[in-house]
Amino acid sequence: MDVARLAGVSPSTVSRILNGTAKVSDDKRLAVLAAIDKVSFAPNQMAQGLKKGRSLTIGIVVQDISSPFFDETLRGIDDGLKGTGYASVIVSGHWNAEEEADRVRLLLARKVDGIILLSGRISDEAVLGFSSQRPIVSTGRALHTRTALGFKTDNEYGAWLAVRHLVELGHRRIAFISGPTNNHDADERLAGYRRALAESQIDIDPALVVEGNYHEASGMMAMNRLFDTHQQFTAVFAANDLSAYGARLALYRKGIRVPDDISLVGFDDLPGSSYTTPPLTTVRQPMYDMGRIATQALLRLINGDTVQGEIPPVELVVRETTRRVR
Amino acid sequence: MDVARLAGVSPSTVSRILNGTAKVSDDKRLAVLAAIDKVSFAPNQMAQGLKKGRSLTIGIVVQDISSPFFDETLRGIDDGLKGTGYASVIVSGHWNAEEEADRVRLLLARKVDGIILLSGRISDEAVLGFSSQRPIVSTGRALHTRTALGFKTDNEYGAWLAVRHLVELGHRRIAFISGPTNNHDADERLAGYRRALAESQIDIDPALVVEGNYHEASGMMAMNRLFDTHQQFTAVFAANDLSAYGARLALYRKGIRVPDDISLVGFDDLPGSSYTTPPLTTVRQPMYDMGRIATQALLRLINGDTVQGEIPPVELVVRETTRRVR
DNA sequence: CTGTTAGCGCTTTCAA
DNA sequence: TTGAAAGCGCTAACAG
């Protein structure tokens, strides 16, 4: 080590000072510190990692690097990592199980100390399998082993909240723009929609539920399909905010006022949803908190500590796209 | 190496097969491949990195992990990295030069092979300094050395485009919601606004330019300040889309129609801007392309190849928030 | 074509 | 309190 020579000590001594591993006499400490400063030395993390068996890096798997849906969660993770010395490498599974599994293997090869999986598409079994190599915490699943932990938001309840809100405002013809089929969350939101209607003795009209894929364009098209088939309705519940944005635009194009003519509610409460025109009534998922909590949990798993998976519940945020039916 | 024993060969042979470094007899190759498969072996990247002196990792410095402003660029980077074997560590400077410099040092200690700096706050000198350790490409600066490259979007021209568009629609009282003071890009956009007005012989009314900070809330407040001071205007140009969103909401609250009563134009063309109500006229920055191009350039710098820093120009995207003044 | 050897930069016994 | 030596997992030079 360069610094060691410069300070006239052995590499071990430098290491001891860097890590506070053992007592070192003050004169040597000073000399070493001076040398470190002089060369502006920073230990090679790869070498450290190789030796210590930990990389001080965690892996994060998202599905789309450029989606507002993941932004808040990433911020939560970032904050959760603050001051821990950990950094994160972020990879994307692109909503595809195969690719996602590949990414996880890639992270494992990079010797990340743990993995956070956001909206993963791989099976629980796959997660459990990977978790034998490194601890994993994942959103959207119910898991709880010594090395794998899941956090689940209650989609069914959230959807129920949204629809009940509309029902309470007097709406009875409520359209639903769903998420993609074969998506677990989407199924649950549909179930919540159904239950809320059933509880209010409102018949479910299949013609009123139209499929989307969580993107803006699909919300717009879904809305247009509703119009094209001449459906009657006074409110629409979109399975997520993005498709609500699309629906909103379709409404605007038709000259239909929100909320005066039609009420609209979304799901997620993306950062942008307080600044739509008008601000969107939606179901809030605590994404930031999830990121933070997941991170803290992962760090505990990495240390072999016990954890528990509790996150704040979803809640209805009433803004300005819903009103009493007249 | 475990695999080596299992296949009855030396570690070097395994390495050679993994890296294609030399000819290996077919029988041994098969045996090794089988062994690799059996143990599902993946080389330890930290060890590889330590040995080879490259980590196959690049560092990305953004200013805010959860801003739509960086999302598209990150996607461009992600795509640019696709198939290269590189992964990226993303850190945030939080719009703060000190913190940003710290992050860069952290990345350097992690032995990233290169760094992409987005909207950095540190000085060009600092960038140049760091670039002696690892190549750096940065947005928002004009740099061109063997290890540092800058890409600059023409903010002045973009702003000029926006304002000229409004002028051509007959607007003469055009308010400007600026970016934060002491921000280079923001200054340039202000300059473009001024030049466009000056070229059209329109006097610049200082009361019509009000300061924002690029966030939605500031756009809203700026708008309100304009109203509170009873300014007369028929159009407003916001220095970025986010503040345009805020301005839009302020307008909505006052019951002022866009674009019928007031025209609005933004800057950036965030993904969400095609789905605002109505869709926002704005100046498009080619963020995705910048990410992609920056990545390709960085990879070349890492290889010691020569590069050139060319990105597509900004362009006006006319959507539905502007109309001819009546 | 293949094995042996050395070493990347660090930490951690083990002695002294 | 400190240094010498070994080794983390891999690759590259050197023999053979």
Side-chain angles (χ1 to χ4, degrees):
Chain A
M1 217 185 266
D2 216 32
V3 176
R5 255 191 307 95
L6 225 163
V9 300
S10 78
S12 333
T13 301
V14 176
S15 170
R16 283 191 266 258
I17 292 174
L18 252 25
N19 299 286
T21 320
K23 309 246 96 78
V24 175
S25 69
D26 280 352
D27 52 336
K28 292 198 195 272
R29 149 166 288 113
L30 259 29
V32 169
L33 259 21
I36 287 180
D37 201 67
K38 179 154 184 220
V39 224
S40 63
F41 169 84
N44 180 327
Q45 285 231 24
M46 286 200 293
Q48 281 192 162
L50 181 57
K51 180 66 201 181
K52 301 211 211 183
R54 56 175 184 55
S55 56
L56 283 183
T57 303
I58 67 164
I60 305 176
V61 183
V62 297
Q63 303 304 325
D64 184 348
I65 291 244
S66 69
S67 162
F69 180 73
F70 294 103
D71 284 351
E72 283 297 289
T73 312
L74 289 179
R75 197 164 61 80
I77 294 174
D78 198 48
D79 282 355
L81 251 26
K82 193 165 289 173
T84 63
Y86 272 88
S88 57
V89 1
I90 304 177
V91 299
S92 170
H94 295 115
W95 302 112
N96 175 123
E98 301 281 311
E99 187 169 353
E100 185 179 324
D102 272 351
R103 297 299 140 197
V104 171
R105 277 187 281 266
L106 181 146
L107 291 173
L108 258 11
R110 283 179 176 267
K111 299 298 167 192
V112 296
D113 296 337
I115 292 179
I116 295 180
L117 191 53
L118 302 179
S119 303
R121 284 285 170 271
I122 59 178
S123 68
D124 285 6
E125 290 66 45
V127 173
L128 257 10
F130 288 131
S131 78
S132 70
Q133 302 195 48
R134 289 290 190 259
I136 298 187
V137 343
S138 171
T139 61
R141 21 187 132 225
L143 246 46
H144 205 326
T145 73
R146 208 161 307 284
T147 53
L149 180 66
F151 292 94
K152 222 174 146 354
T153 69
D154 197 336
N155 291 292
E156 203 268 353
Y157 173 66
W160 178 84
L161 279 177
V163 176
R164 195 198 50 173
H165 168 62
L166 290 170
V167 169
E168 283 175 356
L169 290 175
H171 296 276
R172 301 190 63 81
R173 296 286 298 170
I174 302 172
F176 179 57
I177 299 176
S178 79
T181 49
N182 302 325
N183 180 123
H184 197 57
D185 295 359
D187 290 347
E188 294 178 346
R189 291 177 196 182
L190 174 56
Y193 164 78
R194 288 209 169 106
R195 176 162 68 91
L197 291 184
E199 283 179 8
S200 308
Q201 275 81 47
I202 298 174
D203 287 339
I204 291 168
D205 181 349
L208 246 32
V209 355
V210 29
E211 188 179 339
N213 67 8
Y214 280 163
H215 292 288
E216 291 100 331
S218 84
M220 184 158 166
M221 292 188 323
M223 201 74 232
N224 286 143
R225 229 170 307 143
L226 252 10
F227 289 132
D228 292 347
T229 55
H230 307 291
Q231 302 303 322
Q232 300 298 316
F233 54 93
T234 59
V236 12
F237 170 40
N240 74 339
D241 281 4
L242 249 27
S243 53
Y245 298 169
R248 172 76 188 91
L249 180 53
L251 260 4
Y252 171 77
R253 293 234 185 286
K254 292 267 184 212
I256 297 172
R257 293 166 304 166
V258 174
D260 310 75
D261 301 324
I262 285 205
S263 286
L264 176 64
V265 13
F267 198 117
D268 281 345
D269 193 22
L270 299 183
S273 294
S274 12
Y275 282 96
T276 55
T277 312
L280 184 68
T281 293
T282 188
V283 178
R284 174 163 181 67
Q285 286 206 73
M287 320 241 233
Y288 173 84
D289 291 322
M290 265 179 66
R292 237 188 119 87
I293 293 172
T295 305
Q296 286 158 348
L298 183 63
L299 261 19
R300 292 186 61 96
L301 287 181
I302 290 175
N303 285 323
D305 295 338
T306 60
V307 298
Q308 43 176 4
E310 282 295 313
I311 49 168
V314 297
E315 58 189 9
L316 182 71
V317 181
V318 178
R319 287 202 272 250
E320 302 167 38
T321 51
T322 47
R323 55 159 289 176
R324 179 159 296 284
V325 70
R326 35 182 174 183
Chain B
M1 218 185 264
D2 216 31
V3 176
R5 255 191 307 95
L6 225 162
V9 301
S10 78
S12 333
T13 302
V14 176
S15 170
R16 282 191 268 258
I17 292 175
L18 253 24
N19 299 286
T21 320
K23 309 246 95 78
V24 175
S25 69
D26 278 353
D27 53 336
K28 291 199 195 275
R29 148 167 290 111
L30 259 29
V32 169
L33 257 23
I36 286 180
D37 201 68
K38 177 153 185 219
V39 219
S40 63
F41 169 83
N44 181 327
Q45 286 233 22
M46 286 200 293
Q48 281 192 161
L50 181 58
K51 177 68 200 182
K52 301 211 211 183
R54 56 177 183 56
S55 56
L56 283 184
T57 304
I58 66 164
I60 304 174
V61 183
V62 297
Q63 303 304 326
D64 185 347
I65 291 245
S66 70
S67 160
F69 180 74
F70 293 103
D71 283 351
E72 283 297 289
T73 311
L74 289 178
R75 196 162 62 79
I77 294 175
D78 198 48
D79 282 355
L81 251 26
K82 194 165 290 173
T84 62
Y86 273 87
S88 58
V89 175
I90 304 177
V91 298
S92 170
H94 295 114
W95 303 111
N96 175 122
E98 302 280 312
E99 186 169 354
E100 186 178 324
D102 272 352
R103 297 297 140 198
V104 171
R105 277 186 283 264
L106 181 145
L107 291 173
L108 258 10
R110 284 180 175 268
K111 299 297 168 194
V112 294
D113 296 337
I115 292 180
I116 295 180
L117 190 54
L118 302 179
S119 302
R121 283 288 171 268
I122 59 179
S123 67
D124 285 6
E125 290 66 44
V127 173
L128 258 9
F130 288 130
S131 77
S132 70
Q133 303 195 48
R134 290 288 190 259
I136 299 188
V137 344
S138 170
T139 61
R141 21 187 132 225
L143 246 46
H144 205 323
T145 74
R146 208 160 308 282
T147 53
L149 179 67
F151 292 94
K152 223 174 145 355
T153 70
D154 197 336
N155 291 292
E156 203 268 353
Y157 173 64
W160 178 85
L161 279 176
V163 175
R164 194 198 50 172
H165 169 61
L166 290 169
V167 169
E168 282 175 354
L169 290 175
H171 296 276
R172 300 192 62 84
R173 298 285 298 171
I174 301 172
F176 180 56
I177 299 177
S178 80
T181 50
N182 301 323
N183 180 123
H184 197 59
D185 294 0
D187 290 346
E188 295 178 346
R189 292 176 195 182
L190 175 57
Y193 163 79
R194 288 211 170 106
R195 177 162 68 90
L197 291 185
E199 284 180 7
S200 308
Q201 276 78 47
I202 298 174
D203 286 341
I204 290 167
D205 181 349
L208 246 32
V209 356
V210 31
E211 188 180 338
N213 66 7
Y214 280 162
H215 292 287
E216 292 100 331
S218 83
M220 184 157 165
M221 293 187 322
M223 202 72 233
N224 287 141
R225 228 170 308 143
L226 251 11
F227 289 132
D228 292 348
T229 55
H230 307 290
Q231 303 302 324
Q232 300 297 317
F233 54 93
T234 60
V236 11
F237 171 40
N240 74 338
D241 282 4
L242 250 26
S243 53
Y245 298 169
R248 172 76 188 90
L249 180 52
L251 257 8
Y252 171 76
R253 292 234 185 287
K254 292 268 185 212
I256 296 172
R257 293 165 304 166
V258 173
D260 310 75
D261 301 324
I262 285 204
S263 286
L264 175 65
V265 15
F267 197 116
D268 281 346
D269 194 21
L270 299 183
S273 294
S274 13
Y275 282 96
T276 55
T277 312
L280 184 69
T281 293
T282 186
V283 177
R284 173 162 181 69
Q285 287 205 73
M287 320 241 233
Y288 172 84
D289 291 322
M290 265 179 67
R292 237 188 120 88
I293 293 172
T295 305
Q296 285 158 348
L298 183 63
L299 260 20
R300 293 187 60 96
L301 286 182
I302 291 174
N303 286 324
D305 296 337
T306 60
V307 298
Q308 43 177 4
E310 282 295 312
I311 49 168
V314 296
E315 58 189 10
L316 182 71
V317 181
V318 178
R319 287 202 272 250
E320 303 167 37
T321 52
T322 46
R323 55 159 288 175
R324 179 159 296 282
V325 69
R326 36 182 174 182

